[in-house]
């Protein structure tokens, strides 16, 4: 009986009675209260259940963590798909998507107006650096979800000292 969860299946009396019927407990070793309980059973069987706790519905105070540069990443992945393998073991590694976002933000600071035009110019800038991007097959270019006046310049995604290494920057398969 040690380690079992049978305490939920009956009362202490019924479990003791069944142990005595199975001759696990001798008549001499029965509990003192057994004869009194058998002679005067309770009107209502005691049930060992935990009372239900009422949970209060607390408001969710966690703010939505969605940066404006996430819209750029979303459009990048919808347009070009996944770029392949990420080298997470290298601290100085920047993915193609991160390079694209950084280029996009630089062009936005330079004064480009339309997000669609910025997207195309960032693609061309990466191509000039030697990183070729291919559009996903059958994918249309998605519309922007953020408004034209929304700025991504306040979000800083990488530290200044984390720059891509020279050995992978010009390789088309490297991320």
């Amino acid at each position: 009986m040690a380690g079992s969860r049978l305490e939920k299946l009956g009362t202490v009396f019924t479990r003791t009675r069944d142990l005595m019927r199975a001759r696990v407990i001798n008549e001499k070793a029965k509990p003192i209260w057994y004869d009194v309980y058998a002679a005067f059973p309770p009107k209502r069987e005691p049930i060992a259940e935990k009372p239900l706790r009422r949970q209060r519905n607390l408001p969710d105070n966690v703010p939505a963590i969605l940066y404006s540069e996430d819209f750029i990443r979303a459009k990048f992945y919808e347009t070009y798909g996944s770029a392949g393998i990420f080298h997470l073991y290298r601290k100085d590694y920047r993915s193609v998507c991160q390079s694209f976002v950084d280029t996009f933000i630089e062009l936005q600071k330079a004064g480009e107006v339309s997000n669609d035009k910025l997207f195309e110019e960032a693609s061309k800038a990466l191509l000039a650096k030697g990183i070729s991007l291919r559009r996903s097959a059958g994918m249309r270019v998605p519309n922007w979800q953020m408004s034209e006046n929304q700025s991504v310049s306040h979000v800083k995604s990488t530290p200044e000292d984390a720059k891509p290494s020279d050995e992978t920057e010009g390789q088309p398969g490297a991320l």
Side-chain angles (χ1 to χ4, degrees):
M1 194 133 162
S4 70
R5 302 284 183 224
L6 293 177
E7 67 270 4
K8 296 180 181 179
L9 299 177
T11 63
V12 175
F13 176 76
T14 58
R15 291 194 325 259
T16 306
R17 180 196 63 206
D18 293 340
L19 287 172
M20 288 175 62
R21 284 182 187 167
R23 294 192 177 126
V24 175
I25 297 177
N26 294 336
E27 284 290 324
K28 294 179 182 177
K30 70 180 174 182
I32 298 171
W33 53 264
Y34 184 80
D35 291 329
V36 175
Y37 192 94
F40 304 103
K43 293 180 182 177
R44 182 177 48 92
E45 284 288 324
I47 300 173
E49 289 184 3
K50 293 181 181 178
L52 295 175
R53 291 186 190 178
R54 292 187 180 187
Q55 295 181 356
R56 296 183 294 163
N57 291 334
L58 298 175
D60 191 14
N61 293 332
V62 178
I65 302 174
L66 186 64
Y67 297 103
S68 51
E69 72 178 8
D70 292 339
F71 294 108
I72 302 167
R73 282 193 180 91
K75 185 172 180 185
F76 176 84
Y77 283 119
E78 286 180 20
T79 305
Y80 298 113
S82 179
I85 300 171
F86 289 91
H87 298 286
L88 299 177
Y89 57 90
R90 293 174 45 196
K91 292 183 180 182
D92 61 343
Y93 173 73
R94 283 178 40 203
S95 67
V96 174
C97 181
Q98 186 60 44
S99 299
F100 183 86
V101 169
D102 293 341
T103 306
F104 187 95
I105 292 171
E106 288 173 15
L107 290 173
Q108 189 178 37
K109 287 179 182 177
E112 292 286 337
V113 180
S114 169
N115 283 332
D116 292 325
K117 189 173 180 181
L118 281 170
F119 192 83
E120 293 301 322
E121 290 299 320
S123 300
K124 290 176 186 175
L126 286 182
L127 184 61
K129 290 181 182 178
I131 301 173
S132 63
L133 300 172
R134 287 191 226 157
R135 292 190 187 269
S136 298
M139 290 276 201
R140 62 175 180 79
V141 178
N143 293 330
W144 283 94
Q145 298 295 325
M146 67 179 190
S147 63
E148 292 291 330
N149 59 0
Q150 206 170 7
S151 174
V152 292
S153 61
H154 68 280
V155 179
K156 194 170 194 177
S157 58
T158 57
E160 294 291 311
D161 57 346
K163 299 193 189 252
S165 64
D166 294 329
E167 62 186 31
T168 60
E169 188 175 36
Q171 297 176 359
L175 297 177

